[in-house]
């Protein structure tokens, strides 16, 4: 089974992805995490994508597409399904992914949209903290660590993402409206997008997703 999660920045894609991957033993393919790892390596590519991300813009499709293709191929070789978190993000990326999955004789079974009002995501992002060592995500308001600034899981240092500052958040929301919403309209027109209310607590959102997976079973999509 392959699942793709959609939703504005801060809607909870990463949080739900962790729970779903744990439940269904899927490979968590987060393009944001892959790009942040690339940035940490300080290669030429890493420096280039780091600048783009800091400004809240999207990294060029070609760069992201190649990184994704490699991870998808690895997951398929291991015989595992994939949870797509943050990819595809525009119509070109959707077409590229669908072509790749067709070649690999597989498909996305569930396209899930996490619906939430913009003011709520801003609130979530400014209070998000991430562990520098293991990547675990916290929220100072709703899921704080036991000790200030320290990861409960590994003792690593918690930091605020550079793109979680208000100026970058604004640009990310504009990019989402400009690039990702047309992709979601396309999926809606094809009857593929399933919506959940992401304003509820984490466990409630997870139950909604589980319910629609149970209800719909596996679904074969057609390439448009
Ligand atoms: P990426 O890392 O994918 O960021 P994003 O899509 O903006 O999403 P976020 O990680 O900000 O939020 P999320 O929805 O995962 O929410 P989370 O679960 O953390 O991308 C970053 C950048 O990389 C992009 O801007 C772009 O530059 C580049 N990039 C990535 N993919 C790309 C692509 N395909 N093409 C081109 N460029 C790409 O939750 C947020 C907070 O809320 C947390 O603190 C969490 O604890 C809390 N929370 C979660 N759920 C709940 C809940 N139900 N109730 C209360 N709090 C909650």
């Amino acid at each position: 089974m392959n699942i793709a999660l959609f939703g504005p920045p801060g809607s909870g894609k990463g949080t739900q992805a962790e729970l779903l991957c744990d439940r269904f033993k899927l490979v968590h393919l987060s393009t944001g995490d892959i790009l942040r790892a690339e940035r940490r390596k300080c290669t030429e590519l890493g420096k280039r994508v780091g600048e783009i991300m800091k400004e809240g813009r999207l990294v060029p499709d070609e760069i992201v597409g190649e990184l994704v293709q490699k991870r998808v191929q690895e997951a398929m070789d291991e015989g595992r399904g994939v949870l797509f978190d943050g990819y595809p993000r525009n119509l070109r990326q959707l077409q590229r992914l669908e072509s790749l999955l067709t070649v690999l004789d597989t498909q996305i079974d569930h396209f899930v949209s996490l619906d939430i009002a913009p003011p709520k995501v801003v609130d979530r992002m400014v209070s998000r903290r991430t562990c520098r060592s293991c990547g675990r995500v916290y929220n100072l308001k709703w899921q704080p660590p036991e000790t200030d600034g320290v990861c409960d899981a590994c003792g690593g240092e918690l930091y605020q993402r550079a793109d979680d500052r208000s100026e970058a958040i604004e640009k990310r929301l504009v990019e989402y409206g400009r690039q990702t919403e047309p992709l979601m309209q396309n999926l809606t027109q094809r009857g593929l997008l399933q919506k959940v209310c992401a304003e509820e607590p984490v466990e409630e959102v997870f139950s909604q997703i589980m319910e629609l997976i149970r209800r719909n079973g596996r679904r074969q999509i057609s390439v448009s």
Side-chain angles (χ1 to χ4, degrees):
M1 178 168 72
N2 301 306
I3 302 173
L5 289 183
F6 299 91
S11 55
K13 299 182 292 298
T15 303
Q16 295 301 325
E18 290 294 336
L19 297 172
L20 289 162
C21 287
D22 195 39
R23 175 65 63 97
F24 295 111
K25 306 296 169 228
L26 302 173
V27 171
H28 182 185
L29 196 161
S30 156
T31 40
D33 287 348
I34 294 171
L35 292 166
R36 278 184 287 277
E38 210 52 55
R39 187 181 58 191
R40 278 196 296 275
K41 289 187 209 158
C42 278
T43 55
E44 275 312 306
L45 176 65
K47 286 181 198 159
R48 188 172 160 213
V49 300
E51 281 308 307
I52 297 172
M53 291 167 79
K54 201 165 143 190
E55 289 171 13
R57 292 182 289 125
L58 288 194
V59 171
D61 296 332
E62 197 53 40
I63 295 177
V64 186
E66 280 177 22
L67 294 167
V68 166
Q69 184 164 343
K70 188 166 165 276
R71 300 297 190 294
V72 171
Q73 187 68 64
E74 285 167 2
M76 298 297 153
D77 290 347
E78 288 174 24
R80 293 172 67 192
V82 178
L83 185 301
F84 293 93
D85 163 7
Y87 190 88
R89 240 168 162 110
N90 58 33
L91 282 165
R92 289 179 304 278
Q93 293 184 6
L94 175 66
Q95 278 153 6
R96 184 177 176 135
L97 179 63
E98 290 186 330
S99 302
L100 172 66
L101 296 181
T102 302
V103 169
L104 295 170
D105 197 24
T106 186
Q107 73 287 317
I108 292 178
D109 303 289
H110 303 284
F111 292 87
V112 180
S113 166
L114 303 183
D115 285 7
I116 183 166
K120 296 217 161 121
V121 292
V122 174
D123 206 23
R124 283 185 187 181
M125 279 186 278
V126 293
S127 48
R128 169 169 47 193
R129 295 295 180 272
T130 308
C131 176
R132 236 181 246 294
S133 307
C134 71
R136 184 162 167 183
V137 173
Y138 294 85
N139 192 285
L140 298 183
K141 288 191 181 165
W142 298 284
Q143 299 157 315
E146 279 171 21
T147 310
D148 250 10
V150 180
C151 176
D152 296 344
C154 75
E157 181 201 357
L158 302 187
Y159 78 103
Q160 183 176 31
R161 274 170 44 177
D163 61 351
D164 273 351
R165 297 172 203 275
S166 47
E167 198 185 311
I169 288 176
E170 217 170 284
K171 286 204 185 124
R172 287 161 68 197
L173 289 170
V174 170
E175 282 288 80
Y176 178 78
R178 204 169 62 86
Q179 302 228 32
T180 311
E181 277 177 3
L183 147 69
M184 293 170 73
Q185 276 161 20
N186 172 290
L187 293 172
T188 303
Q189 279 160 9
R190 292 159 63 192
L192 294 171
L193 195 64
Q194 306 167 88
K195 296 182 180 187
V196 298
C197 173
E199 298 190 2
E200 304 295 335
V202 172
E203 301 71 27
E204 171 57 28
V205 179
F206 182 62
S207 298
Q208 289 181 54
I209 300 174
M210 289 299 293
E211 178 53 29
L212 62 84
I213 289 175
R214 261 195 294 274
R215 221 175 33 230
N216 296 315
R218 293 197 68 185
R219 145 199 328 250
Q220 187 74 34
I221 68 162
S222 59
V223 180
S224 62

